[in-house]
Amino acid sequence: MLHPEIETMSREGIRELQSKRLQETVRRVYENVPFYQKAFQEIGLEPGDIKSVDDLSKLPFTVKQDLRDNYPFDLFAVPKSELVRVHASSGTTGKPIVVGYTQNDINNWADLMARCFAMAGATKDDTVQIAYGYGLFTGGLGCHYGAERLGATVVPISGGNTKRQLMLMQDFGTTVLACTPSYALYLAEEAVHMGIDLPASQLRIGVFGAEPWSDNMRKELENKMGIDAYNIYGLSEVIGPGVSMECQCKNGMHINEDYFIAEVVDPETLEPLPYGQKGELVFTSLLKEAFPVIRYRTRDISVLIEEKCDCGRTFVRMERVAGRTDDMLIIRGVNVFPSQIESVLLAIGETEPHYQLVVDRKGAMDDLEIWVEVSDKMFSDEIRRLEELERKLRNEIQSVLGISAKIKLVEPRTIPRSEGKAKRIVDKREL
Ligand code: ADP
Ligand code: K
Ligand code: ZN
């Protein structure tokens, strides 16, 4: 355990720590973020009304739309000169969700992620290959700073380049692999094709997250790679990876409660639910300076587990994410909203407004096909023109969403019409 005095703190101690930090956070957002000040004033709430975690439910919720409305920097609680980094994640339309960090935030995040790697059993003696994407996504750099903070040897290879990943994995004696579970499976399958015996290699731990996966997938990855595979959860709005992490009991992810307060609420009534009941996860940050969040609704569905864990940690756990309350898709770890694709199609304007997203898993990799209707006239046009349009759409999707998709132009009236909500997504992936 990296921080035993905190990770095994009494529940009463955690409560006190959270209450103190909650008061500070509430004051910070009230004094520095007009959005929160207004939201508090609208319901007649003064920062002094929040004295402990018991008062949490008096606070208003924050949703993704609020982040969009305040794009890019209006929810930040520090002057821009205090920021040392920004990250961004997919929004529901063209503009991304932007989050920022002060130097203290980056330090805290590094400590937090170091703790997460240690929870999986990693130490300074490990070599950690980070195959999450580096860049605006929080995955790569979040893991990077954490593994460095732990004192491990970091291989910042980022995603892709599979053959090279496998070569360096062997040559460098990688012991810990951090990436999405689907990319891990792809690496495992490529290794077999290349005649590499991963179970015989030094690889021993997987830190996998950014997308949903199942216990069956865990077994498969553990067998194919000869590792113990652990689930890590997080989201940019709250900090990035490291909001919660599985311990070696592999029985739910411990929420890092010294940094965040977790709640589960009924997504319809927004009433907080007791431990053990399934609902939408909501997080309040406790230490963040640049981008504090108050009761942020994640749209992720899970359950909080109160029972003490065999590892000795006292932090509550959350079950694997069981789904979303919105239509966000996660393709190779990247969040994708149908509305983003729709705006690309409409902006180009050469297709009909009827489309469907078909998601499948070909081998290990998620595969996104965008079916879109073209006009009768267009369809009877030259093949070359259709190919040109396909290419244009593909490039635009790649540049807006940052992922590749296959475009399939189909005849008019071939995509099923619905009488209610259009069925935009056909997800054939099995968990
Ligand atoms: P990240 O880079 O950590 O994926 P994003 O902000 O891009 O951060 O995406 C966050 C979303 O990804 C979460 O709200 C959740 O839907 C999904 N996600 C992240 N980690 C997991 C996980 N371990 N299991 C299931 N879903 C996850
Ligand atoms: K994600
Ligand atoms: Zn545990």
Side-chain angles (χ1 to χ4, degrees):
M1 236 180 264
L2 195 61
H3 307 132
E5 67 297 345
I6 293 180
E7 292 174 74
T8 63
M9 208 178 224
S10 70
R11 289 305 302 169
E12 194 42 44
I14 293 170
R15 250 184 71 87
E16 272 171 33
L17 186 68
Q18 287 188 327
S19 296
K20 181 171 146 280
R21 291 180 174 177
L22 178 64
Q23 289 181 50
E24 289 162 7
T25 296
V26 165
R27 199 162 300 269
R28 184 178 306 134
V29 300
Y30 188 82
E31 285 166 6
N32 299 294
V33 188
F35 165 83
Y36 286 113
Q37 190 175 77
K38 188 161 161 274
F40 287 14
Q41 281 167 350
E42 267 165 17
I43 53 172
L45 188 76
E46 302 266 345
D49 297 339
I50 306 299
K51 296 190 179 66
S52 80
V53 287
D54 291 335
D55 299 317
L56 195 63
S57 61
K58 293 179 185 161
L59 289 162
F61 290 99
T62 312
V63 295
K64 217 184 220 22
Q65 181 66 34
D66 297 325
L67 274 67
R68 272 186 63 198
D69 293 345
N70 289 281
Y71 176 86
F73 296 153
D74 285 355
L75 287 184
F76 290 8
V78 296
K80 205 170 161 218
S81 58
E82 294 301 307
L83 296 178
V84 298
R85 188 170 334 144
V86 292
H87 278 289
S89 162
S90 301
T92 45
T93 58
K95 299 281 189 194
I97 296 300
V98 182
V99 298
Y101 305 78
T102 63
Q103 188 58 59
N104 281 335
D105 290 335
I106 293 290
N107 284 341
N108 283 331
W109 191 16
D111 284 339
L112 183 65
M113 280 303 298
R115 178 194 293 171
C116 290
F117 277 109
M119 280 172 90
T123 70
K124 65 179 287 293
D125 298 327
D126 278 293
T127 299
V128 182
Q129 185 158 335
I130 297 172
Y132 283 109
Y134 278 63
L136 282 176
F137 292 113
T138 49
L141 283 166
C143 286
H144 183 103
Y145 276 63
E148 263 189 20
R149 178 61 52 92
L150 187 64
T153 309
V154 175
V155 184
I157 189 163
S158 194
N161 240 322
T162 305
K163 290 205 168 71
R164 195 143 165 269
Q165 297 262 3
L166 289 164
M167 178 184 83
L168 297 187
M169 195 179 277
Q170 292 178 292
D171 295 350
F172 294 177
T174 297
T175 52
V176 179
L177 173 66
C179 63
T180 60
S182 51
Y183 191 54
L185 192 57
Y186 186 62
L187 280 165
E189 290 178 357
E190 274 302 296
V192 172
H193 286 145
M194 289 168 67
I196 297 170
D197 185 3
L198 278 185
S201 77
Q202 295 187 55
L203 196 63
R204 62 186 197 96
I205 293 172
V207 175
F208 302 143
E211 63 183 9
W213 54 307
S214 62
D215 258 321
N216 282 336
M217 177 88 139
R218 188 207 306 269
K219 287 192 195 94
E220 195 161 334
L221 288 169
E222 291 189 331
N223 291 335
K224 285 198 159 120
M225 300 189 128
I227 58 171
D228 281 296
Y230 298 98
N231 199 358
I232 185 164
Y233 168 86
L235 62 163
S236 311
E237 296 92 317
V238 176
I239 198 161
V243 173
S244 65
M245 171 74 199
E246 256 176 350
C247 66
Q248 284 166 290
C249 300
K250 296 180 187 166
N251 198 4
M253 296 172 272
H254 287 281
I255 290 166
N256 285 303
E257 290 186 288
D258 51 338
Y259 289 82
F260 315 104
I261 302 178
E263 298 172 86
V264 163
V265 304
D266 180 318
E268 300 293 324
T269 65
L270 300 184
E271 279 307 310
L273 297 173
Y275 288 136
Q277 278 191 36
K278 190 186 269 191
E280 180 177 344
L281 279 168
V282 172
F283 289 102
T284 301
S285 68
L286 294 173
L287 283 176
K288 282 171 79 199
E289 294 180 342
F291 193 81
V293 282
I294 301 290
R295 301 190 87 198
Y296 183 73
R297 290 182 57 191
T298 61
R299 301 289 185 173
D300 289 320
I301 302 289
S302 184
V303 178
L304 294 178
I305 311 168
E306 191 184 16
E307 287 75 40
K308 199 161 185 268
C309 185
D310 290 338
C311 72
R313 288 182 183 82
T314 46
F315 290 164
V316 298
R317 285 165 289 160
M318 57 178 265
E319 284 184 4
R320 280 181 184 288
V321 173
R324 303 257 322 159
T325 64
D326 62 9
D327 56 1
M328 186 177 94
L329 282 165
I330 305 184
I331 310 224
R332 287 170 241 134
V334 177
N335 306 349
V336 174
F337 290 92
S339 53
Q340 291 175 296
I341 292 176
E342 183 169 309
S343 28
V344 170
L345 297 177
L346 292 177
I348 291 183
E350 292 171 43
T351 56
E352 299 293 305
H354 298 289
Y355 66 94
Q356 201 160 46
L357 312 181
V358 182
V359 194
D360 205 349
R361 188 160 282 151
K362 299 265 161 65
M365 291 300 268
D366 291 338
D367 189 79
L368 170 63
E369 270 185 18
I370 302 171
W371 295 31
V372 55
E373 291 181 8
V374 293
S375 64
D376 278 316
K377 186 181 166 301
M378 179 85 157
F379 205 78
S380 53
D381 239 340
E382 286 171 60
I383 287 282
R384 198 168 46 84
R385 274 203 58 202
L386 289 173
E387 282 174 353
E388 233 162 66
L389 177 58
E390 246 175 53
R391 184 152 20 100
K392 192 160 158 192
L393 290 168
R394 198 167 54 231
N395 291 344
E396 196 57 21
I397 294 285
Q398 171 80 49
S399 86
V400 173
L401 279 77
I403 57 159
S404 57
K406 291 200 186 84
I407 309 291
K408 192 166 153 182
L409 299 176
V410 298
E411 276 180 80
R413 293 166 301 279
T414 43
I415 290 172
R417 304 292 193 263
S418 82
E419 290 171 0
K421 217 165 127 95
K423 188 167 165 26
R424 297 295 189 202
I425 300 170
V426 180
D427 198 339
K428 298 177 175 166
R429 292 175 295 186
E430 268 173 46
L431 273 188

